[in-house]
Amino acid sequence: MGIGTAIAARLEALAAITDEPGRLTRLYLSPAHRRAADLVASWMEEAGMRARIDAVGNVVGRYEGTDPAAKTLLIGSHIDTVRNAGRFDGMLGVVAAIELVGRLAAQGRRRPFAIEVVAFGDEEGVRFASALGGSRALAGRFDPALLDERDENGVSRREALVAFGCDPARIALEARNPANVLGYVEMHIEQGPVLEREGLVVAVVTAINGASRGRVRVSGESGHAGTVPMALRHDALAASAEMVLEVERLGATTPDLVATVGRLEGEDAAPNTVPGAVSFTLDIRSPDDGVRHAAVTALSRSIAAIAERRGVAARVDIGYEAPAAPCDARLQVGLADALARLGLPLRRMPSGAGHDAMAFSGRLPFAMLFVRCRDGISHNPAEYAAPKDIETGARVLADFIDHLDT
Ligand code: GLV
Ligand code: MN
Ligand code: MN
């Protein structure tokens, strides 16, 4: 079987492991995440690795090198998903890495350096307020305060980890010593339309855009929808609607900025009640941290002004920040050299989406390879990358690994 077809078959098997029958939803530390982690660990073992689930719920498989003194190369991506997800976002990089190591093992080949394949568990940050918990642990940047974050059912990260079989007290021990790591390299679908539009298959990523995520809580006064006169209302939902449009306006009018409200919830909402309390999420991104911070400040001011005019209170909490993260120059050259050896044109581009790699910024060198996906669609069940394109990506990564020197 060609490597593209083999990867596609494993992606299909993983896509069947879901917490919601009929669609793919696999949030961090859920029962489906556990089953997927076990499957991935078994694939790693079959591929000649020693596999374990670490203290933060990542699956880590190790394929030894010939030189015990050499640093380790980390490759992989994530196996958690958004709600109603596609089957390629994250899983492609994990499955491709396992296939590549499996092929090395089948040929009885080892590089001087050990290769560790990591299937991160908390890239999307859908279950808890912050994202990149798994990669931050490896980067030595896991803030223990995150253990107290609670999901929408009131379950804390700590409780969810223990139920998954992890020991939160050992998370700090997962930190990698930069002196022992060659770098982290991740293959991922582009999640955008550029490669397809340009008729190209793969690209070398230059940097990952920074992100701020947060929540806005708007409190007004609930009341009877039939009796409270319009002029006397403190409607938290109408105020939130105006704030949401302000978020959109700011994103649309600021160069190099995207701003999104992805979720909005009313408390005790009913058709015949004037909404008294609403909260909504914020997701603000830019390649330029200054632009992003200025946007957060401007938005906080606009939200306060809207709240004041409408007689409601609004609180903005930015609970998660990931600075823009440049990819390592040397590893980028390594990927570009692999493209050249395979006769592929070099396209370089930044990543608008976040990735586990950004948790390593300033700590461990990292690089990423994008593979074209159909219509640029992602975070959507229609997400698709052709086996032939996957094969090209896998060949680039294999060639990169073959030529990487310690
Ligand atoms: C992950 O997909 C993100 O960019 O939020
Ligand atoms: Mn992803
Ligand atoms: Mn994603």
Side-chain angles (χ1 to χ4, degrees), residues 345-363:
L346 174 59
R347 176 68 160 93
R348 303 168 83 236
M349 67 167 73
S351 172
H355 297 285
D356 284 298
M358 66 203 299
F360 298 125
S361 190
R363 212 44 74 96

Side-chain angles (χ1 to χ4, degrees), residues 40-54:
V40 164
S42 73
W43 285 344
M44 288 171 170
E45 296 276 349
E46 283 164 27
M49 291 176 257
R50 248 187 314 110
R52 67 185 178 101
I53 294 182
D54 76 8

Side-chain angles (χ1 to χ4, degrees), residues 24-27 78-83 85-86 89 91 124 126:
L24 174 55
T25 298
R26 199 163 58 228
L27 303 195
H78 61 99
I79 57 170
D80 63 319
T81 75
V82 293
R83 295 191 171 90
D89 175 1
M91 283 70 77
E124 300 286 6
V126 174

Side-chain angles (χ1 to χ4, degrees), residues 77-78 80 88-91 123-124 186 188 191 353-355 379:
S77 190
H78 61 99
D80 63 319
F88 298 84
D89 175 1
M91 283 70 77
E123 194 275 342
E124 300 286 6
E186 173 168 348
H188 201 285
Q191 303 180 280
H355 297 285
H379 285 192

Side-chain angles (χ1 to χ4, degrees), residues 65-377:
T66 53
D67 176 2
K71 299 180 183 186
T72 298
L73 174 68
L74 305 175
I75 54 176
S77 190
H78 61 99
I79 57 170
D80 63 319
T81 75
V82 293
R83 295 191 171 90
N84 198 20
R87 64 179 56 180
F88 298 84
D89 175 1
M91 283 70 77
L92 173 63
V94 173
V95 167
I98 294 171
E99 280 291 336
L100 289 178
V101 172
R103 272 153 213 255
L104 281 181
Q107 295 160 9
R109 287 207 295 134
R110 291 186 190 275
R111 300 280 5 245
F113 48 86
I115 301 172
E116 287 195 24
V117 177
V118 188
F120 290 106
D122 182 30
E123 194 275 342
E124 300 286 6
V126 174
R127 178 167 181 182
F128 299 102
S130 33
L132 311 183
S135 37
R136 285 180 173 199
L138 264 62
R141 287 186 163 137
F142 185 91
D143 178 355
L146 294 184
L147 293 171
D148 297 317
E149 282 186 318
R150 291 190 183 271
D151 70 7
E152 63 191 26
N153 297 315
V155 179
S156 72
R157 212 178 245 277
R158 179 182 287 102
E159 290 159 354
L161 278 165
V162 170
F164 199 78
C166 296
D167 178 359
R170 301 185 65 81
I171 291 175
L173 302 176
E174 301 295 351
R176 299 307 174 99
N177 179 349
N180 300 333
V181 178
L182 274 172
Y184 170 72
V185 180
E186 173 168 348
M187 169 168 146
H188 201 285
I189 53 167
E190 179 199 347
Q191 303 180 280
V194 175
L195 285 174
E196 187 175 70
R197 212 166 45 206
E198 296 182 2
L200 300 172
V201 181
V202 292
V204 177
V205 177
T206 52
I208 305 173
N209 288 358
S212 302
R213 284 203 204 179
R215 184 170 279 278
V216 182
R217 291 180 180 79
V218 182
S219 339
E221 190 170 33
S222 58
H224 197 294
T227 60
V228 184
M230 296 305 289
L232 299 185
R233 294 185 179 195
H234 303 281
D235 184 329
L237 181 52
S240 297
E242 198 177 331
M243 295 167 188
V244 171
L245 290 177
E246 178 59 21
V247 173
E248 185 191 42
R249 193 198 61 75
L250 188 71
T253 56
T254 312
D256 281 340
L257 188 83
V258 287
T260 307
V261 174
R263 190 164 180 165
L264 181 146
E265 282 136 356
E267 213 174 90
D268 303 325
N272 55 350
T273 299
V274 178
V278 167
S279 71
F280 59 89
T281 57
L282 289 176
D283 181 307
I284 298 168
R285 307 192 192 207
S286 173
D288 182 326
D289 289 336
V291 168
R292 178 169 55 86
H293 288 135
V296 169
T297 305
L299 200 55
S300 302
R301 280 207 201 101
S302 315
I303 285 173
I306 294 166
E308 177 157 2
R309 180 157 43 71
R310 286 178 163 273
V312 299
R315 205 177 87 211
V316 180
D317 285 314
I318 301 295
Y320 169 85
E321 297 247 21
C327 296
D328 180 67
R330 192 175 143 257
L331 293 175
Q332 285 187 65
V333 169
L335 287 171
D337 288 348
L339 290 182
R341 282 188 294 268
L342 295 173
L344 296 162
L346 174 59
R347 176 68 160 93
R348 303 168 83 236
M349 67 167 73
S351 172
H355 297 285
D356 284 298
M358 66 203 299
F360 298 125
S361 190
R363 212 44 74 96
L364 301 176
F366 67 86
M368 291 190 69
L369 181 73
F370 275 170
V371 175
R372 151 171 89 184
C373 60
R374 189 166 66 197
D375 297 331
I377 291 173

Side-chain angles (χ1 to χ4, degrees), residues 356-405:
D356 284 298
M358 66 203 299
F360 298 125
S361 190
R363 212 44 74 96
L364 301 176
F366 67 86
M368 291 190 69
L369 181 73
F370 275 170
V371 175
R372 151 171 89 184
C373 60
R374 189 166 66 197
D375 297 331
I377 291 173
S378 186
H379 285 192
N380 182 317
E383 196 173 87
Y384 179 76
K388 205 164 163 302
D389 293 350
I390 291 175
E391 174 159 345
T392 300
R395 284 176 52 217
V396 172
L397 195 52
D399 187 83
F400 165 84
I401 292 171
D402 280 347
H403 290 85
L404 183 66
D405 62 47

